[in-house]
Amino acid sequence: MAKYLKLQDELDAQAKHGLEVLPREVVEAFVHSTQELRESGTAKGLAIGAIAPDFTLGNQIGNNITLSEKIAKGPVILTFYRGGWCPFCNLELRAYQRIIDRIHEAGAQLLAISPQTPDHSLSVHEKNELSFHVLSDLHNQVAKNYKINFKLRDDLHDFHRSLGAALDEHNGDDSWELPVPATFIIDKQGVIRFASVDPDYTKRTEPNEILNLLQSL
């Protein structure tokens, strides 16, 4: 077995599987939606050097987690994911779990954020056997402050429902809003030192790259 399993290899395999099993019209709709979001120029996220907005969110067991309290102890990785219904997100979370001990050894902490309700966040935590906080950003309030939220096109709602990904059920509201998958590294002064925001949900920052950046702070 390879010493390091690349997340992007796993994501590419998942994307290939999707092309094989999903109806063509579904695949084309998702691809077009991603292109449209990229071309719109919205949801670009906060830039490197910006002050990270503080927040308090409930984790998977209902405990409140406050960003400013965490960064007082060391750098924080924020990773925004779409939800437990997204196989690409689950792969990313498991990839972080594989290196969580090394993240802690670097003096950092990891917080994963989605707009899902706490019950669904708990399911994500348990299913992926995670040992880091999974936070519920109800109504995408934090995602809006980090400028990564967007509204899913109406014509994609039925496709999502057919795939067991009805956002109104998972997120507890009818906004059909999501965060663009994004990762930020925030230093002890609350400054964003790294930002990766990509409308293409099949692409994610390699966790080992995040680890290398942490070690250089």
Side-chain angles (χ1 to χ4, degrees):
M1 181 180 292
K3 185 175 181 180
Y4 172 60
L5 180 62
K6 288 189 67 174
L7 171 60
Q8 195 57 55
D9 288 344
E10 297 181 285
L11 297 173
D12 290 344
Q14 179 62 48
K16 181 181 178 182
H17 176 69
L19 291 174
E20 295 169 349
V21 302
L22 293 177
R24 182 176 178 179
E25 63 176 352
V26 174
V27 173
E28 291 179 348
F30 287 157
V31 169
H32 181 69
S33 175
T34 297
Q35 292 174 340
E36 187 178 73
L37 179 59
R38 186 184 301 281
E39 292 169 0
S40 73
T42 61
K44 287 186 174 182
L46 295 178
I48 294 172
I51 298 298
D54 198 12
F55 60 78
T56 298
L57 294 175
N59 70 1
Q60 69 279 355
I61 57 173
N63 294 333
N64 284 336
I65 304 298
T66 299
L67 176 63
S68 56
E69 294 178 358
K70 294 298 181 182
I71 61 176
K73 302 174 183 178
V76 169
I77 304 164
L78 293 185
T79 186
F80 289 83
Y81 69 102
R82 304 193 302 165
W85 50 267
C86 171
F88 300 94
C89 296
N90 288 313
L91 287 170
E92 180 184 36
L93 295 175
R94 289 197 291 270
Y96 275 113
Q97 180 61 36
R98 290 197 292 267
I99 64 165
I100 194 63
D101 289 343
R102 296 170 66 193
I103 289 173
H104 292 161
E105 288 169 4
Q109 299 179 70
L110 171 66
L111 303 177
I113 303 173
S114 85
Q116 296 185 121
T117 63
D119 284 347
H120 283 100
S121 292
L122 178 59
S123 295
V124 167
H125 194 271
E126 292 176 341
K127 177 176 67 176
N128 294 301
E129 299 181 330
L130 307 177
S131 60
F132 49 84
H133 294 295
V134 178
L135 308 182
S136 292
D137 179 23
L138 299 178
H139 312 301
N140 286 284
Q141 292 303 308
V142 174
K144 290 174 183 175
N145 289 338
Y146 280 76
K147 302 187 184 305
I148 57 172
N149 67 299
F150 72 99
K151 188 176 180 64
L152 200 70
R153 285 180 2 194
D154 291 347
D155 62 313
L156 296 180
H157 294 191
D158 286 344
F159 289 145
H160 268 255
R161 292 188 190 282
S162 71
L163 297 173
L167 299 187
D168 49 353
E169 297 175 7
H170 284 265
N171 298 350
D173 64 36
D174 60 1
S175 69
W176 285 81
E177 286 192 356
L178 286 172
V180 170
T183 302
F184 300 91
I185 297 178
I186 304 167
D187 67 16
K188 290 188 67 174
Q189 287 70 47
V191 177
I192 295 174
R193 299 289 295 274
F194 172 83
S196 174
V197 181
D198 195 333
D200 185 351
Y201 55 85
T202 70
K203 308 295 182 186
R204 309 292 169 101
T205 302
E206 205 67 37
N208 257 26
E209 178 183 343
I210 296 296
L211 187 62
N212 290 337
L213 289 166
L214 280 176
Q215 293 168 340
S216 70
L217 291 182

